[in-house]
Amino acid sequence: MTAPNPEYADWTWERMLRDVLNEGRDGTDQATGTPIDRNQVAGHGVTWVRFVERRTQELDRGTRPTVDPGDRELVGYRRVGPGVDDPQRDLWEIVRGHVTFWEGTGGPPPSSAFDSFYRGSVGALTRLYAGTNGWFSERSFTDAGNLLWRVEQTLLTTAAELRVLRDGISGTGSGFDGSASAVFLAALNSLHADIDRLTRDMNAADEANAWSDRVFRQSNDLLMFRERINDAWREFSDHTHEWYNTYHPSALFGTVRTILEQVDRGSLNAVSVTIEDTYGTGPVGGTFDLTTAAGWTALDVLLRTAWLRQLVRLDLAMRDALAQLVAALRETGGIVNRFTGPSGGGQQPPPPPGPPQRPTAGPPPPDEVRFTSTLSGGTGFAGAGFDGAGGGGPGLAFSSSGAGGPGNLPAGGPCTKYG
């Protein structure tokens, strides 16, 4: 992973889905469902566990408390000494907490938002791989590259043919003579110069840097972005989605339950809870007084933080992929953007009917013409070097293309573990 790009420091996975892919809902398509939001899963004001009680119980010597915590209870107990009422008996201290992850308090439970987060993300990646995301499609670049290639080939052929005609007319024995011939030859020279200028501006003869080649490369850049974010999601999902994954809430509750089962050999006032490092993020842990509500609140924060830390890793990988994509788009935008018009002005063609189409950055210089990269079936690009409509981050927008299908896609696909 490259160094973090500060330009995208506040971008989250959800924002990328929303602003880059026009996704981020948990419905069956891009337009339906509830927006996914990590804050509804584990943010401020959300609780996964809460304190219920701390009590004592006297039992016959050698007898332990009989508790059946169930799936949503967390119980710990320890012997604290002889009984108060009967010293021949044992006095036990018992604490109990309750798992609220599957329960809503004035709204949907965190578990619903958790399921939506995975369902919405998997749906977005699935549509991306299937070529059914009409907002973000490498096919639009392929179509634009094909169109530009045909223009380049036409320019190269036409320039060569005009050069032969011009040289033939100006040569001895061509049959063209007089003032009318001079005017016609001047017009032919001007036409050839304009076509030759456009040919050079488009780098049509340069196989590595022709406009068509640059735009074709963008198709691959979009495919690489797709692969990178899918790999990042797969790693996150493999650590967090299934009940047996280390950072799934059920597994986290299981870790606490195992620790509480052994607390009779320690203290309920200082219970050490550690979520082991299994994926390179480093362990998270703390020591909690589980005889108090404050101790359970702190434990709740620890459990939610364990899941959120994995999400931060997903954010970092996504930002790296996004920075590489935008850098490639900007590089092409600096080349496939403007071309030189004929020097000296001359009579300009009448403007098209309707409101004037002026670039947002102001009018072009007198001898410069703005190239707007409107793609087949789409709305073009907005951002560094491109005009068009769309949303996105700093200097970035993605076009909506309705052209064609998914094209030739490489092997692989989204992690579709979510059912």
Side-chain angles (χ1 to χ4, degrees):
M1 184 179 294
T2 59
N5 189 323
E7 188 174 4
Y8 307 102
D10 62 342
W11 278 65
T12 62
W13 174 260
E14 299 97 298
R15 181 177 176 184
M16 181 277 297
L17 291 180
R18 182 183 69 245
D19 292 349
V20 177
L21 301 184
N22 195 32
E23 289 273 6
R25 294 178 175 271
D26 63 358
T28 57
D29 55 44
Q30 289 177 259
T32 61
T34 303
I36 66 173
D37 183 1
R38 71 186 67 192
N39 292 321
Q40 299 297 319
V41 180
H44 180 72
V46 175
T47 61
W48 286 9
V49 297
R50 64 175 175 83
F51 174 69
V52 175
E53 66 173 351
R54 179 260 179 196
R55 61 185 176 89
T56 59
Q57 182 180 14
E58 290 190 10
L59 298 171
D60 292 337
R61 187 68 50 85
T63 303
R64 290 174 173 270
T66 300
V67 294
D68 183 14
D71 292 339
R72 299 191 182 182
E73 300 296 315
L74 299 171
V75 177
Y77 52 83
R78 72 181 184 97
R79 181 183 179 279
V80 294
V84 176
D85 298 327
D86 184 353
Q88 300 303 312
R89 308 182 82 194
D90 290 334
L91 180 66
W92 291 83
E93 181 180 34
I94 304 171
V95 297
R96 184 162 62 95
H98 184 71
V99 176
T100 58
F101 179 73
W102 290 280
E103 300 173 1
T105 304
S111 60
S112 293
F114 180 88
D115 292 340
S116 292
F117 193 92
Y118 289 82
R119 184 166 54 247
S121 298
V122 169
L125 292 171
T126 299
R127 284 184 285 273
L128 194 60
Y129 270 85
T132 57
N133 182 314
W135 178 272
F136 186 95
S137 172
E138 79 287 342
R139 181 61 181 268
S140 61
F141 285 95
T142 303
D143 293 342
N146 281 324
L147 177 61
L148 288 172
W149 183 83
R150 291 195 297 270
V151 170
E152 291 162 359
Q153 297 308 303
T154 299
L155 289 173
L156 288 169
T157 301
T158 303
E161 291 176 348
L162 285 174
R163 186 162 52 249
V164 172
L165 289 173
R166 179 200 61 188
D167 294 345
I169 291 173
S170 61
T172 304
S174 66
F176 284 81
D177 197 5
S179 59
S181 173
V183 171
F184 177 71
L185 184 59
L188 198 60
N189 276 326
S190 177
L191 177 60
H192 176 269
D194 289 344
I195 291 177
D196 184 66
R197 185 183 299 110
L198 180 57
T199 302
R200 285 184 279 109
D201 287 339
M202 295 182 70
N203 298 320
D206 186 345
E207 293 183 0
N209 290 294
W211 283 12
S212 60
D213 187 74
R214 303 291 301 198
V215 172
F216 273 129
R217 288 185 211 170
Q218 299 289 227
S219 176
N220 187 64
D221 292 328
L222 265 67
L223 291 175
M224 290 302 300
F225 174 76
R226 185 189 71 179
E227 296 302 310
R228 289 179 179 122
I229 62 172
N230 184 66
D231 288 346
W233 172 260
R234 187 183 299 275
E235 180 180 355
F236 168 76
S237 181
D238 285 347
H239 299 173
T240 62
H241 183 227
E242 300 292 350
W243 65 268
Y244 50 80
N245 297 143
T246 302
Y247 298 101
H248 186 281
S250 291
L252 294 172
F253 302 145
T255 298
V256 174
R257 188 171 286 113
T258 299
I259 292 172
L260 289 176
E261 289 172 354
Q262 302 170 359
V263 81
D264 61 323
R265 296 190 291 270
S267 170
L268 290 170
N269 301 97
V271 178
S272 178
V273 177
T274 300
I275 311 301
E276 296 296 336
D277 174 22
T278 54
Y279 303 109
T281 58
V284 293
T287 301
F288 309 96
D289 182 356
L290 296 186
T291 66
T292 67
W296 283 89
T297 298
L299 175 63
D300 173 68
V301 172
L302 172 74
L303 298 177
R304 289 185 285 118
T305 299
W307 181 76
L308 288 170
R309 275 169 59 105
Q310 298 303 304
L311 198 53
V312 168
R313 285 175 57 86
L314 174 63
D315 290 339
L316 290 172
M318 175 277 298
R319 291 171 195 161
D320 179 62
L322 181 61
Q324 293 183 61
L325 174 63
V326 174
L329 289 169
R330 287 175 175 168
E331 181 182 1
T332 296
I335 296 174
V336 186
N337 183 26
R338 299 170 182 266
F339 56 88
T340 306
S343 59
Q347 185 176 0
Q348 300 297 319
Q357 302 296 315
R358 299 179 68 89
T360 57
D367 62 343
E368 194 168 58
V369 181
R370 179 68 65 98
F371 173 78
T372 303
S373 62
T374 302
L375 306 183
S376 176
T379 57
F381 285 90
F386 287 96
D387 289 323
L396 170 65
F398 295 86
S399 71
S400 171
S401 171
N408 295 322
L409 303 181
C415 176
T416 56
K417 292 167 60 178
Y418 191 90

